[in-house]
Amino acid sequence: MAELREIPHWWAWKDASPAERRWGRRKSRPAHRAAAVPSLLLGAGLVAGMLGGLAIAPARVAAQDARFTTELALDVETPSIADATDDGRWLAVTLRTRRGRVDTDHDRFGDPTYVAPNLVRALAIDTRNGERIPLVDEPAQVRDFAWSPDGDRLAWLTYDGSAFSLRVWEAGARETRTVVLRSNRPIASSSPLVWSPDGDEVLLTLRPDGWAERAREAFRSLTDAPVIVQDSRNDFLAWDAVRNLADEQITALVSIDDGAVRELLDDVVPRDVGFSPDGSRIAFESARRTATSYTRRDGTLYGLHLMELAAGGVVDLLEPTEDRLDGAWNTERDAYAYSDEGAVLVRSIDPGEEPTDVTEGLRTLVGDTAEVDFSVVRWSASGQDLLLSSPKGWHVLDVGRRDLQTVLTLEADSDERPRREVVGWSEDGRYLLFSYSAPDRWERGLKRLDVGSGEVDDILVDERVYRSWHASEDGERVAFTLSDGDGPFDVWTYDRGAGAVKLTELNPQLADVALARTELIEYLDVDGNTLYGILYYPADYEPGRSYPLVAEIYEEFFDNGFHENMNLVTAQGWFGFRPSVRFEEGYPGEAWLKAVPNAINTVIERGLVDPDRVGVYGQSYGGYATNLLITQTDRFAAAANVSGKVNIISFLGDSPKITTRNYAAAEVGQDRIGATLWEQPHKYINTSAVMFADRIETPLLMLSGEGDWNVPATNQREMYYALRRLGKEVVWVHYSAGGHGAGRASTVADFHDHWQRMFDWFAEHFAEEGETVSEEGMAPAPR
């Protein structure tokens, strides 16, 4: 019989003092401000002149007049480096806003022919002189930017509302043209875009004749037909079968010069496709679905393939397997390395050869007795070496000589291990560039590892937030996006000669706006785990006063950087807080009670927060967490659940368009129950807030969207009817045009309405008896 273990609901604290009962205080310790890091920790000879290029900025002045508003939130631009030339000179950058994603028709989710709006600005940036060239006249639906091998041309796909087209920008002439395909087949919405080595052609995928009509009819048959039949004797759930239609694609080569089309494949969709250096062949992976899966470990066959373009025909390099391929091609595309049960195998493209275990006899490292499991990270440019990772460290394997060298030893305790991710490997194989983030403080950036000596140099390391790394092939130039930790991101570049150079000045509209100052908070949960949260200061913060606080909960938070939600919260004159939790499989509902009250206590104990004016909310899984948390404590003045489930049992079949995702989430995924409903029914009950609705004393606001394909409003409706039946205070706001995220995933008007209702809800419940709430939804003045 499985162990029965109750969630520690509020009554578990019956022996605590009144203050402890209200906040569940246990084992907390004072928070600390992340220690200041020198403005740059310079690597030997690498970053001359950088101090002038990337000095730490002073903290934002919080007493500025302008407040961050929902109207401003709609137009904050977030950059992403879509692609960079091999030499690092040119960047393709997209600038996304929330306004560019409004007005999605959520009812058409699952329709293979529907392309949801995602309008962006796009720029080409010359990193040598900072020149920025707009690639589109106004925000447009564009995707799949790819520079030609010589770096002279940039290709991308653009959507005009009915079809995708191929665009090419000539860097020399600064001109854009449309490549008109000499084919009646439309470009697939999920098409790859890969240049041939000579730059004369691009590889993409097209839809077969009649595809759109068949796909629309398949969607209609499950949404608008008078009779809908589903049959478990079919290999696929009906919505899976509709989704599979997206895999009907024809791989083709398109001439950049005249749009001529040469069709290559029509029975397999290539993944991670690439050309040999001479352009004579392509090598690629595939994933073919065979049946609906509930475990995420079956129902798909993975393959590895080769195609000689002159001869045609596909050669299978591996037998199809249900094990996902976890590997990498070398530069020549004549060898593929992958891990298999901890060993690393290499499959060459030579006919008749079998995969070779290149780690045979090498899996017991010096000083250990047990074998380690390796994963493939990447090949060196020469194709001679492989970079492997293991729980012990990073290793370079000379494939020909079977010589394994550990180049970086990882910390034994994973909680003390910085996050590291390889950004580039220099052409000569000497240096690895990797991103870095300390586990216990805001110390982040880029480092360089000398493969031969194992020495690590700091290139860019400070308190700021770095993303979207792109390194040139020689490792001499790196592009990235950067936030000071509080404001939005901009695009930067670094090279040995010029140091760090800022390439964009985005979001000038925020120059006079008070944005939230952030602080990293450390605390202990009830089990003694050290956790971290991000505290966001009110726009009008004055030392010595205590303020209301609104916590946004989900799973784990650590990195700061501009955050739309928290800036809207702090603009109301409140602290915002994003505390982390730690889960135990089988008992996910305990996590938030064990961590969130302790986290907030840490801030209250510093005199920053009024303990009687604390609210909590979350979206999606965070909304689910919020509803569970208020069944376990009545400490919060108000709570809000945005698009979060309340009944994990009915939720299993609540989201048909995403098929088995909800079953998998509970059994093997995010919901962390770790068993089926029939194996451990009590755990499903214990993690369904609606089952404990009678214990809720916190006023609850729920927001949902009619077109929410993830957490349908019918699930939240259960909580509304339960609380109303029980005589509890609850308000349910439902957006007819909304999706997952309620008004935040709807129209512009609904976006404003969503947030105003949130402000008003918390302000109303933060007000003391006799106090009134202003029309702007501001809380009473801090004490």
Side-chain angles (χ1 to χ4, degrees):
M1 180 72 177
E3 175 194 4
L4 293 177
R5 179 167 168 180
E6 291 186 343
I7 291 179
H9 288 283
W10 62 270
W11 63 84
W13 305 92
K14 62 183 186 308
D15 296 326
S17 68
E20 287 176 332
R21 222 171 23 244
R22 297 176 76 193
W23 269 112
R25 296 187 186 194
R26 293 289 188 273
K27 295 187 251 181
S28 64
R29 66 188 184 203
H32 72 275
R33 171 68 171 158
V37 180
S39 58
L40 284 176
L41 307 177
L42 302 180
L46 281 175
V47 283
M50 283 184 51
L51 285 172
L54 189 56
I56 292 294
R60 290 182 179 272
V61 178
Q64 300 176 65
D65 292 332
R67 297 290 184 95
F68 189 70
T69 66
T70 52
E71 185 62 27
L72 287 170
L74 285 164
D75 296 308
V76 174
E77 290 190 316
T78 301
S80 179
I81 300 173
D83 196 23
T85 54
D86 291 343
D87 62 3
R89 173 185 172 181
W90 285 102
L91 307 178
V93 175
T94 58
L95 307 174
R96 303 182 185 277
T97 66
R98 179 166 293 280
R99 192 182 298 274
R101 304 194 302 276
V102 300
D103 295 327
T104 295
D105 185 349
H106 296 287
D107 288 339
R108 291 190 64 187
F109 180 85
D111 180 350
T113 68
Y114 180 61
V115 179
N118 190 7
L119 305 180
V120 304
R121 288 203 300 142
L123 305 173
I125 301 180
D126 188 337
T127 62
R128 298 182 311 172
N129 55 27
E131 181 184 8
R132 299 181 294 275
I133 301 100
L135 298 173
V136 292
D137 296 331
E138 58 186 18
Q141 189 103 351
V142 292
R143 58 183 292 269
D144 286 322
F145 288 85
W147 288 101
S148 60
D150 60 10
D152 291 340
R153 288 163 296 169
L154 176 66
W156 71 89
L157 301 176
T158 185
Y159 184 69
D160 63 5
S162 60
F164 281 92
S165 59
L166 174 62
R167 302 285 176 87
V168 175
W169 180 73
E170 303 281 348
R174 304 294 199 271
E175 292 180 351
T176 301
R177 65 185 179 91
T178 300
V179 178
V180 179
L181 275 61
R182 289 159 56 181
S183 172
N184 292 326
R185 304 189 195 275
I187 298 173
S189 60
S190 56
S191 172
L193 191 61
V194 183
W195 286 87
S196 63
D198 58 13
D200 291 341
E201 296 174 302
V202 292
L203 181 146
L204 47 70
T205 59
L206 309 172
R207 292 298 188 194
D209 294 339
W211 177 85
E213 291 76 12
R214 289 188 296 105
R216 277 193 291 267
E217 175 56 27
F219 179 77
R220 190 198 68 80
S221 71
L222 291 180
T223 56
D224 196 34
V227 177
I228 298 173
V229 177
Q230 302 202 42
D231 189 335
S232 69
R233 292 170 295 183
N234 296 330
D235 289 335
F236 292 99
L237 276 169
W239 277 108
D240 267 338
V242 173
R243 180 185 298 179
N244 291 344
L245 292 170
D247 288 339
E248 293 186 11
Q249 301 177 40
I250 297 171
T251 305
L253 290 175
V254 176
S255 168
I256 294 298
D257 182 46
D258 62 6
V261 174
R262 178 159 59 117
E263 296 182 0
L264 303 177
L265 303 166
D266 62 5
D267 58 350
V268 61
V269 180
R271 300 172 58 180
D272 188 25
V273 61
F275 289 85
S276 60
D278 63 3
S280 65
R281 64 179 179 270
I282 58 172
F284 56 93
E285 300 172 36
S286 68
R288 182 173 62 85
R289 300 188 70 195
T290 58
T292 288
S293 173
Y294 289 85
T295 66
R296 300 180 180 174
R297 296 186 298 271
D298 59 1
T300 300
L301 289 177
Y302 299 94
L304 196 69
H305 315 279
L306 174 74
M307 181 180 188
E308 297 288 349
L309 298 180
V314 175
V315 176
D316 296 333
L317 299 177
L318 292 176
E319 289 293 324
T321 175
E322 287 192 336
D323 296 326
R324 188 184 299 270
L325 294 176
D326 177 22
W329 291 98
N330 65 357
T331 304
E332 297 289 322
R333 287 270 164 169
D334 62 5
Y336 182 85
Y338 62 101
S339 59
D340 183 15
E341 297 183 350
V344 174
L345 282 68
V346 172
R347 173 60 163 99
S348 77
I349 64 171
D350 294 336
E353 285 206 8
E354 293 295 321
T356 302
D357 182 353
V358 294
T359 54
E360 185 176 3
L362 301 175
R363 293 178 59 190
T364 302
L365 304 179
V366 175
D368 286 319
T369 56
E371 288 189 332
V372 299
D373 291 341
F374 291 115
S375 296
V376 175
V377 180
R378 64 171 61 193
W379 289 84
S380 64
S382 67
Q384 177 181 336
D385 298 320
L386 273 171
L387 177 63
L388 309 178
S389 66
S390 77
K392 300 289 186 179
W394 291 359
H395 320 271
V396 171
L397 172 66
D398 184 318
V399 176
R401 296 169 50 200
R402 300 292 197 275
D403 179 41
L404 184 72
Q405 174 189 4
T406 297
V407 296
L408 180 70
T409 300
L410 299 181
E411 294 75 8
D413 186 343
S414 59
D415 287 341
E416 298 178 359
R417 187 177 299 166
R419 285 176 290 161
R420 302 178 178 95
E421 186 171 347
V422 175
V423 172
W425 197 349
S426 60
E427 285 180 304
D428 60 8
R430 182 178 177 185
Y431 295 111
L432 283 169
L433 298 175
F434 64 92
S435 62
Y436 170 89
S437 177
D440 57 355
R441 60 193 180 279
W442 285 337
E443 180 182 296
R444 299 163 288 213
L446 186 70
K447 298 197 175 195
R448 187 186 75 161
L449 169 67
D450 186 316
V451 172
S453 68
E455 293 183 0
V456 175
D457 294 320
D458 297 328
I459 296 180
L460 298 167
V461 179
D462 52 46
E463 289 186 326
R464 301 186 181 196
V465 187
Y466 296 81
R467 293 179 182 164
S468 203
W469 295 102
H470 282 259
S472 61
E473 286 192 344
D474 61 9
E476 296 293 309
R477 178 174 290 163
V478 184
F480 51 94
T481 62
L482 173 65
S483 163
D484 65 3
D486 297 336
F489 287 80
D490 272 290
V491 181
W492 290 68
T493 187
Y494 161 79
D495 67 46
R496 292 181 62 179
V501 178
K502 191 176 184 180
L503 298 175
T504 61
E505 290 286 351
L506 305 175
N507 301 298
Q509 75 277 17
L510 300 181
D512 297 322
V513 174
L515 299 180
R517 176 169 65 88
T518 55
E519 179 183 350
L520 186 65
I521 302 296
E522 179 182 317
Y523 55 95
L524 298 178
D525 70 6
V526 169
D527 292 330
N529 297 306
T530 299
L531 300 175
Y532 298 91
I534 310 168
L535 185 66
Y536 299 78
Y537 277 72
D540 58 354
Y541 174 73
E542 296 179 18
R545 289 186 167 185
S546 62
Y547 292 78
L549 178 147
V550 174
E552 177 183 277
I553 62 175
Y554 192 74
E555 296 189 23
E556 182 178 2
F557 301 110
F558 187 85
D559 285 327
N560 53 347
F562 176 79
H563 193 271
E564 173 191 288
N565 295 1
M566 289 291 96
N567 272 281
L568 289 169
V569 166
T570 57
Q572 309 311 303
W574 308 328
F575 273 98
F577 193 27
R578 305 177 83 204
S580 299
V581 301
R582 179 163 299 183
F583 294 95
E584 179 182 353
E585 183 171 306
Y587 311 98
E590 299 179 2
W592 295 283
L593 182 63
K594 288 181 175 181
V596 174
N598 273 15
I600 296 174
N601 286 341
T602 301
V603 183
I604 290 174
E605 288 164 1
R606 293 170 54 187
L608 299 174
V609 170
D610 180 348
D612 293 323
R613 297 194 290 178
V614 176
V616 62
Y617 84 97
Q619 177 173 311
S620 190
Y621 196 57
Y624 162 70
T626 297
N627 245 131
L628 275 175
L629 182 58
I630 63 174
T631 69
Q632 301 164 311
T633 176
D634 62 356
R635 183 56 192 87
F636 295 97
N641 173 354
V642 182
S643 297
K645 59 183 176 283
V646 303
N647 185 342
I648 204 167
I649 298 173
S650 59
F651 183 64
L652 293 174
D654 251 0
S655 312
K657 289 184 177 181
I658 53 177
T659 68
T660 64
R661 199 290 306 268
N662 294 353
Y663 274 96
E667 296 168 14
V668 297
Q670 183 182 43
D671 292 332
R672 300 175 174 87
I673 292 178
T676 71
L677 171 63
W678 304 276
E679 292 168 335
Q680 303 271 351
H682 59 284
K683 291 184 177 179
Y684 285 76
I685 294 171
N686 279 352
T687 51
S688 293
V690 73
M691 302 297 184
F692 306 98
D694 59 319
R695 296 166 185 163
I696 293 177
E697 301 297 334
T698 306
L700 176 64
L701 172 68
M702 297 193 302
L703 301 102
S704 61
E706 178 67 23
D708 191 336
W709 45 266
N710 191 338
V711 183
T714 52
N715 202 276
Q716 282 189 311
R717 183 176 64 195
E718 296 182 34
M719 180 61 73
Y720 174 75
Y721 278 98
L723 291 179
R724 184 175 178 87
R725 170 65 181 84
L726 293 164
K728 311 287 187 176
E729 184 179 354
V730 59
V731 173
W732 180 26
V733 181
H734 185 63
Y735 294 93
S736 297
H740 192 58
R744 294 181 68 242
S746 187
T747 64
V748 167
D750 285 352
F751 180 79
H752 293 304
D753 184 86
H754 173 114
W755 277 110
Q756 192 60 53
R757 290 182 188 276
M758 291 273 285
F759 302 152
D760 291 346
W761 181 254
F762 286 113
E764 174 189 350
H765 292 90
F766 289 162
E768 293 187 346
E769 186 175 351
E771 290 180 323
T772 59
V773 179
S774 70
E775 292 182 1
E776 291 79 16
M778 295 291 292
R783 297 169 180 170

